Amino acid sequence: MILRLTFYDDTYTSLLTTFFEQKQMVTPTFYLPNEEKQENTRTFFRKVFSKFFLTAIDLSNKDKEFERLCNDILYKNLYYDETKYNRLKQLFSEKFFLFLYRNRELLEEISNLPVIDKIEDLLPLLEIRIIPAMFSTNERDEVVYYFYSNDKFIKQ
């Protein structure tokens, strides 16, 4: 299976490509041992995703769950289950926007808004789909396809 991602705006597509170039899909990123970074992560989740307090175990479990779902869905194609697909999409969204929060300079080039405000504006614009195959279409460099089995992506 292939992860298909787009903002339908090529300005923001560079954020997706940077995320994949830095190998964020295969790197545990929710839980970081550094306590300061962990507190920043919790603050981010409370502000952006309206989640309550997350412990280190919760964050570590998110990493494990994300890896398991990627392996099962994107690599092994084990099942078609809308609930699990939606959970993978949610975790990807959290992981991607957490990456942007930690790499604020990427957003500074795009907008003068505070980081949290910009992330909250971008959150509903990101479209994530899990598809079985790519089709030749003209997508004006707005769509990124990610192949988990090879840890590779292409823009189309």
Side-chain angles (χ1 to χ4, degrees):
M1 297 298 249
I2 302 166
L3 208 52
R4 181 188 183 277
L5 308 143
T6 187
F7 283 106
Y8 290 110
D9 184 339
D10 60 353
T11 304
Y12 302 126
T13 303
S14 65
L15 299 173
L16 290 166
T17 58
T18 302
F19 175 82
F20 292 123
E21 285 168 353
Q22 294 189 14
K23 304 293 186 195
Q24 296 298 303
M25 282 293 285
V26 293
T27 305
T29 54
F30 289 109
Y31 171 74
L32 296 174
N34 180 318
E35 186 57 41
E36 178 185 331
K37 288 186 179 181
Q38 214 174 307
E39 184 53 42
N40 287 341
T41 301
R42 291 184 192 120
T43 302
F44 169 77
F45 275 102
R46 278 192 298 271
K47 287 182 181 175
V48 176
F49 291 103
S50 302
K51 302 280 180 173
F52 298 111
F53 184 79
L54 294 168
T55 65
I57 292 171
D58 295 331
L59 294 171
S60 180
N61 287 342
K62 274 184 181 283
D63 277 323
K64 291 174 187 173
E65 182 183 11
F66 182 75
E67 183 180 355
R68 183 180 43 76
L69 286 171
C70 283
N71 279 325
D72 289 352
I73 295 170
L74 300 175
Y75 183 67
K76 298 176 184 171
N77 301 325
L78 288 185
Y79 37 65
Y80 177 83
D81 180 344
E82 200 64 35
T83 305
K84 291 183 182 186
Y85 278 26
N86 288 336
R87 182 62 180 157
L88 177 59
K89 291 177 193 179
Q90 175 62 34
L91 288 172
F92 175 85
S93 182
E94 291 176 5
K95 188 176 185 89
F96 175 70
F97 287 107
L98 182 59
F99 166 77
L100 291 181
Y101 179 70
R102 289 180 178 154
N103 295 279
R104 296 156 197 235
E105 66 279 357
L106 296 172
L107 290 174
E108 288 171 2
E109 298 170 5
I110 293 172
S111 170
N112 294 337
L113 289 173
V115 174
I116 293 291
D117 293 343
K118 189 60 185 170
I119 286 174
E120 287 175 337
D121 288 348
L122 286 174
L123 189 61
L125 300 178
L126 179 62
E127 181 186 292
I128 305 167
R129 292 194 321 199
I130 299 169
I131 59 175
M134 277 180 54
F135 303 100
S136 180
T137 59
N138 182 9
E139 295 174 315
R140 299 182 314 235
D141 279 345
E142 293 177 346
V143 178
V144 176
Y145 292 94
Y146 177 74
F147 303 87
Y148 184 78
S149 59
N150 298 353
D151 189 30
K152 302 284 183 200
F153 69 94
I154 60 171
K155 255 183 8 178
Q156 185 167 332

